[in-house]
Amino acid sequence: MDPRLQVNPDPRRALPSVDRLVRAIRDEAPDTPRWAATEAARRQLAAARAEPDPSLNDANMIAKATRLAESLARVRPRPVLNATGVVLHTNLGRAPMADGAAEAAAAAARGYSDLEFDVASGRRGDRLGGLATKLALLAGSEAAMACNNNAAALMLTLDTLARGREVVVSRGELVEIGGSFRVPDIMERAGVRLVEVGTTNRTHPHDYERAIGPDTALLLKVHRSNFEQSGFVREVDLATLVGIGRRHDLPVVEDLGSGTLVDLGDHGLPAEAHAPSRLRTGADLVCFSGDKLLGGPQAGLAIGRAEVVDAMRRNPLARALRLDKMTLAALDWTLAALLDEARHDEIPVLRSLRQGGGDIEPRARALADRLAATSHAGLRAEAEPDRTPVGGGSLPGFELDTWVVALRGGPGAASLVDRLRGADPPVIARVRDDALLLDCRTLRDEDLDAVVAAVDVALQPAAR
Ligand SMILES: *Cc1c(COP(=O)(O)O)cnc(C)c1O
């Protein structure tokens, strides 16, 4: 028995006091702050009281409580290494920002700034002015604005253009994006009446025509961000929808979800993701996320006709959905980099998407060689070509060529993937069949040391 706890052997009455357990935690991990040790001790003792576990001895109670305290004290989100190959991984924070964007955000955060101040005149300035100019230039649009995220941009659009009135959407586009974003729910919350047209698989122009009435305020097209339809399907394309809108004098809005401001068509990416082209097709407004294909911070970007954008900016809801100064600085930096073609490679998402399989292969071979050289008994490391989705609700059905390092043998892929998550920093990998895959599309050269170290730790017999 651990003398620090001085408990008696009956599992119920054997529980130490909070104070004793806190002391033991801080003995074990001296850097743990007192608040975290106290909270961990309370939780651990409450759990032990609720469900007495005879196998829980002093040593493993201290070990468990210490791990919990460390986890409570950790600053989150915590950096991880993305070895999934999914460039826009929703659960791993979507787009990594450029170093320059992160520095701009930090500078805006640390000191005072001209956030809403016009230095030349000494008067109050426009918070969105600089950003809106850059965004409109990139988009070739009359006007532009940005708010907290794309869900907010859609909400603001609906509230501005259609509050209390009807919005027509195809049944094939009433999507759920994940993280509880559902188009019908957003519409209800925005106070508009959803008029569904067509069927799940087929919507025709006359379905829209028939649904339009005196209360119709808007025709909305929603990008099917995370699934594909094939077989007996028919959708009304944006150009046709714009024609219908014109005939009935109704605005047409597209929620593009994941949009780019640079044409990635040369790199094999689908043309539909290029937001300025969607606007040129005739939509009155297009909205999309800042942290998907654009490669910037979380934000909702809206580009389109001045009349519509101005009305959105005057909407009182815009204040509740506005960008904070850190995001604003990071987004402004990102837009400036996008305006300068020579700087596109400073944006990690663009750099990553523009890489072909051949650019990734040398990294995969280098990693495979290093892992093979550590020669853990029975573990084989091989570099192999593979395919990976872009993720983040972008480009469903579209995959990029990539290279992975496949680990087979050793403790087995299922065990290894768990152990790699326990590394510091955690390594997030994929499993397919009997292989653990480390996808090198989302690993940088400078990450390889940490990946090799994580595999090394994961293969120690004592790995937990
Ligand atoms: C991702 C997505 C959204 C939500 O965007 P956020 O920036 O996450 O709020 C809305 N609509 C579509 C079509 C999307 O793909």
Side-chain angles (χ1 to χ4, degrees), residues 94 149-152 175 177 181 222-223 225 255-258 289 291-292 299 392-393:
R94 283 197 193 156
N149 59 8
N150 189 37
V175 302
I177 308 291
F181 177 95
V222 182
H223 190 262
S225 291
D255 172 11
L256 186 55
S258 190
S289 299
D291 56 346
K292 293 185 184 170

Side-chain angles (χ1 to χ4, degrees), residues 93-170:
R94 283 197 193 156
M97 276 192 327
D99 289 342
E103 279 153 23
R110 271 197 211 102
Y112 299 107
S113 64
D114 64 350
L115 181 66
E116 288 186 10
F117 185 72
D118 180 26
V119 175
S121 69
R123 301 225 174 91
R124 189 178 167 174
D126 176 4
R127 177 183 189 99
L128 277 183
L131 186 149
T133 302
K134 294 184 185 78
L135 182 51
L137 277 172
L138 278 161
S141 63
E142 270 179 35
M145 74 164 299
C147 60
N148 182 61
N149 59 8
N150 189 37
L154 182 59
M155 188 103 185
L156 191 56
T157 305
L158 294 170
D159 185 83
T160 305
L161 294 177
R163 198 151 87 105
R165 298 178 63 203
E166 290 175 354
V167 175
V168 185
V169 191
S170 160

Side-chain angles (χ1 to χ4, degrees), residues 74-379:
R74 196 172 280 136
V75 172
R76 292 196 64 201
R78 170 191 187 195
V80 304
L81 293 176
N82 178 2
T84 67
V86 179
V87 175
L88 299 171
H89 197 301
T90 300
N91 302 136
L92 303 184
R94 283 197 193 156
M97 276 192 327
D99 289 342
E103 279 153 23
R110 271 197 211 102
Y112 299 107
S113 64
D114 64 350
L115 181 66
E116 288 186 10
F117 185 72
D118 180 26
V119 175
S121 69
R123 301 225 174 91
R124 189 178 167 174
D126 176 4
R127 177 183 189 99
L128 277 183
L131 186 149
T133 302
K134 294 184 185 78
L135 182 51
L137 277 172
L138 278 161
S141 63
E142 270 179 35
M145 74 164 299
C147 60
N148 182 61
N149 59 8
N150 189 37
L154 182 59
M155 188 103 185
L156 191 56
T157 305
L158 294 170
D159 185 83
T160 305
L161 294 177
R163 198 151 87 105
R165 298 178 63 203
E166 290 175 354
V167 175
V168 185
V169 191
S170 160
R171 288 199 170 89
E173 298 172 8
L174 292 174
V175 302
E176 173 176 321
I177 308 291
S180 73
F181 177 95
R182 287 175 150 193
V183 169
D185 298 346
I186 288 271
M187 296 182 72
E188 191 188 320
R189 283 306 170 116
V192 306
R193 287 200 303 286
L194 166 64
V195 176
E196 305 177 18
V197 297
T199 59
T200 304
N201 55 328
R202 288 173 74 83
T203 303
H204 303 268
H206 63 250
D207 291 324
Y208 285 94
E209 299 270 7
R210 256 185 293 194
I212 292 171
D215 240 13
T216 309
L218 175 70
L219 306 181
L220 175 67
K221 189 162 183 63
V222 182
H223 190 262
R224 277 191 213 110
S225 291
N226 48 11
F227 72 106
E228 269 191 302
Q229 283 194 326
S230 61
F232 190 53
V233 296
R234 165 89 203 253
E235 84 171 288
V236 176
D237 63 24
L238 184 61
T240 307
L241 196 61
V242 165
I244 298 170
R246 296 245 163 92
R247 271 200 298 290
H248 295 269
D249 204 17
L250 289 169
V252 173
V253 169
E254 178 166 57
D255 172 11
L256 186 55
S258 190
T260 64
L261 290 165
V262 301
D263 198 345
L264 293 166
D266 292 351
H267 301 273
L269 277 87
E272 64 184 38
H274 188 228
S277 302
R278 307 303 282 175
L279 207 57
R280 262 180 256 132
T281 304
D284 295 271
L285 192 89
V286 175
C287 64
F288 53 102
S289 299
D291 56 346
K292 293 185 184 170
L293 282 176
L294 186 87
Q298 177 189 305
L301 282 63
I303 55 179
R305 278 182 33 227
E307 199 190 323
V308 176
V309 172
D310 290 348
M312 286 167 72
R313 290 194 59 181
R314 283 194 308 271
N315 187 327
L317 203 53
R319 169 63 196 256
L321 304 174
R322 77 179 183 184
L323 288 175
D324 74 289
K325 61 189 176 187
M326 291 181 282
T327 306
L328 220 152
L331 185 55
D332 197 75
W333 187 97
T334 305
L335 296 176
L338 287 170
L339 278 165
D340 185 352
E341 204 160 326
R343 292 178 57 199
H344 285 181
D345 268 355
E346 291 179 37
I347 297 173
V349 168
L350 287 187
R351 198 164 60 226
S352 186
L353 291 176
R354 285 143 69 111
Q355 285 192 339
D359 301 314
I360 302 165
E361 181 181 352
R363 186 155 58 245
R365 292 204 180 278
L367 180 59
D369 287 350
R370 287 183 61 181
L371 290 173
T374 55
S375 71
H376 290 284
L379 189 81

Side-chain angles (χ1 to χ4, degrees), residues 84-86 386-390 398-402 430 439 441:
T84 67
V86 179
D386 204 351
R387 309 269 296 161
T388 182
V390 174
F398 177 80
E399 290 187 328
L400 295 162
D401 283 324
T402 190
R430 291 191 270 145
D439 194 318
R441 175 172 285 280

